[in-house]
Amino acid sequence: MGCFHYPVLRQPCKGATVHVHIFGTKKDVLDETMMNLSRITSPTLIIWGRQDAILALKQAYYAKEKISNSKLHIIEQCGHMPNF
C-alpha cells in the first residue's frame, strides 16, 4: 500500500508535510497558496469535486478568478479527490 498525505484517509508518509487535518486545510497554508495564485502564468485546468468537504467550492471559483488563462471543471457527485 502506498503512503498518503491526507491523515483523514491513511497515515501520512514518514517525513511528509501534512497540510490537511480532519476539519480542513490549515489556515496558514491555504492563505499562502491563495495569495500566490495570480503568480501562475501557465494555462491551468482546475478540477474540483462539487461535494469537496475539505476545500469549499467557492475556493475553486476564487482560484479560477485569480489564475489567468485558467478553466474550471467541476465534477458532480465527487468529493475532495477527483483523481480517484
Side-chain angles (χ1 to χ4, degrees), residues 6 15 18 25 72:
Y6 297 94
V18 177
T25 305
L72 174 60

Side-chain angles (χ1 to χ4, degrees), residues 17-21 23-33 54-55:
T17 302
V18 177
H19 297 298
V20 176
H21 55 81
F23 298 109
T25 305
K26 290 184 178 180
K27 185 177 179 352
D28 58 331
V29 172
L30 183 59
D31 287 350
E32 183 178 345
T33 300
I54 295 176
L55 297 172

Side-chain angles (χ1 to χ4, degrees), residues 46-66:
I46 302 165
I47 302 172
W48 215 274
R50 185 170 297 281
Q51 286 79 28
D52 191 331
I54 295 176
L55 297 172
L57 188 57
K58 68 181 180 179
Q59 293 167 325
Y61 288 109
Y62 179 84
K64 166 70 176 102
E65 177 185 312
K66 294 297 179 182

Side-chain angles (χ1 to χ4, degrees), residues 6 11 18 22 25 32 36 40-41 43-44 46 54 61 64 67-68 71 75 84:
Y6 297 94
Q11 290 298 320
V18 177
I22 191 130
T25 305
E32 183 178 345
N36 286 297
I40 299 171
T41 58
T44 304
I46 302 165
I54 295 176
Y61 288 109
K64 166 70 176 102
I67 301 171
S68 63
K71 293 181 181 182
I75 300 176
F84 289 112

